[in-house]
Amino acid sequence: MVTKTGLRAALLMTGALLSGIAFAQPAPTDSEKEIERYRAMISDPMSNPGFLAVDRGEVLWATKRGAKNVSLEGCDLGEGPGKLEGAYAKLPRYFKDTDQVMDLEQRLLFCMKTQQELDTADIIKRKFSGPGRASDMEDLVAFIANKSSGMKIAAQLSHPKEKEMAEIGEAIFYRRAGTHDFACATCHGESGKRIRLQGLPDFSKPGKDAQDSMGSWPTYRVSQSALRTFQHRMWDCFRQQRWPEPEYGAAGITALMVYLNKQANGGEINVPSIKR
């Protein structure tokens, strides 16, 4: 006959044994090394499906569309009309013709509306790809960003509005809100944090964490079988924080990107990368 005392002791012993088993699992750093080894194996352009998006984006860039039946090849992304090399490395940035700080997606939408006179409602509806739904924006971002691959992130902070956006972005980074009282800093405000096997970069200070992370977007997500832009990353982060869904191309998201690029300044861009 098992007494209550004996049962309690058995349960405690079982818990101790299970704890021992848990502690005997491979160290997180070992898991991270295996993940990085896997990424390295499929990072070659011939193995990374993200480069299919680059190819599709190249076609879209040169495709004539809209009421004016012109391509995007005259779009000025900051380096002059049609000049793509190094443009992504300096975005978001201030544009005099709009008197705004704009990221790549905002600028592309502006060019579609003004230069092509294209109805962008369907473009925005398909801002993120899904089963049976391609995304022009994801493909265009992949193509344009790849033109800065191997270059350094060059955060633009010389114009007063760029400095203002960096300050707003920092405030948003630390702002706690939503049903779970989360902020970006909840997950990314100190080093050594992780979700399951996934290490979380620390954006609270400039340096390698921020550089490696910001220099890896856009990326091909193996778990989603899709090329994802940093706009999608922001949308998904706010979803997981249980915040309201941000409007696509919202100024607040751009401000947050300016702040994160400031923290990542000087980091090397290698895109499209590949992630889990």
Side-chain angles (χ1 to χ4, degrees):
M1 179 177 179
V2 180
T3 65
K4 289 184 178 180
T5 302
L7 180 59
R8 187 180 300 112
L11 290 172
L12 289 172
M13 180 63 72
T14 301
L17 288 171
L18 289 175
S19 297
I21 292 172
F23 287 129
Q25 296 298 315
T29 51
D30 293 337
S31 300
E32 286 184 337
K33 287 178 182 177
E34 287 302 306
I35 292 171
E36 289 305 318
R37 189 171 72 87
Y38 165 72
R39 288 174 179 165
M41 289 169 60
I42 55 178
S43 62
D44 185 271
M46 297 301 293
S47 305
N48 183 348
F51 282 89
L52 296 174
V54 173
D55 292 341
R56 292 192 298 268
E58 183 175 12
V59 173
L60 284 169
W61 179 256
T63 298
K64 296 179 179 180
R65 297 195 292 183
K68 290 187 177 180
N69 193 35
V70 297
S71 71
L72 287 168
E73 292 169 307
C75 181
D76 184 357
L77 299 178
E79 297 298 289
K83 295 182 180 179
L84 301 181
E85 284 72 14
Y88 183 74
K90 297 179 180 179
L91 289 168
R93 67 187 298 170
Y94 174 78
F95 288 89
K96 187 176 180 179
D97 57 2
T98 61
D99 193 31
Q100 294 179 41
V101 176
M102 307 174 82
D103 76 336
L104 177 54
E105 284 94 324
Q106 287 176 308
R107 191 63 182 175
L108 284 172
L109 288 173
F110 171 77
C111 288
M112 289 173 181
K113 292 175 182 177
T114 59
Q115 296 184 17
Q116 294 181 308
E117 291 189 4
L118 178 68
D119 183 353
T120 59
D122 181 59
I123 301 290
I124 295 173
K125 184 179 180 180
R126 297 183 293 109
K127 57 187 180 291
F128 307 135
S129 61
R133 184 181 73 250
S135 169
D136 290 3
M137 293 302 283
E138 286 178 348
D139 293 343
L140 282 165
V141 169
F143 166 62
I144 295 165
N146 181 248
K147 292 293 184 180
S148 290
S149 204
M151 299 181 184
K152 303 291 185 182
I153 295 171
Q156 300 298 290
L157 298 166
S158 60
H159 193 277
K161 289 199 172 184
E162 293 168 342
K163 295 176 182 177
E164 180 185 33
M165 288 293 266
E167 292 173 359
I168 293 172
E170 183 174 8
I172 293 173
F173 181 80
Y174 287 101
R175 169 70 171 169
R176 301 178 71 98
T179 59
H180 289 45
D181 195 33
F182 273 13
C184 300
T186 304
C187 291
H188 300 286
E190 58 184 282
S191 60
K193 287 193 171 184
R194 61 193 306 113
I195 294 179
R196 296 178 293 276
L197 295 179
Q198 190 71 33
L200 297 171
D202 178 6
F203 288 117
S204 67
K205 58 181 181 292
K208 182 173 171 55
D209 271 16
Q211 290 173 341
D212 289 349
S213 182
M214 295 303 291
S216 66
W217 293 92
T219 188
Y220 182 80
R221 298 295 301 267
V222 175
S223 59
Q224 299 176 21
S225 299
L227 186 287
R228 295 306 189 195
T229 65
F230 198 67
Q231 279 276 353
H232 183 275
R233 176 67 273 172
M234 291 292 93
W235 170 83
D236 202 29
C237 279
F238 280 107
R239 178 189 66 82
Q240 292 181 65
Q241 291 182 87
R242 308 302 192 270
W243 281 39
E245 179 180 338
E247 182 181 345
Y248 186 65
I253 299 300
T254 302
L256 187 53
M257 292 170 68
V258 172
Y259 167 69
L260 295 176
N261 265 2
K262 176 186 175 184
Q263 303 298 81
N265 203 29
E268 185 172 329
I269 299 169
N270 289 293
V271 293
S273 68
I274 193 161
K275 300 179 185 289
R276 65 165 182 83

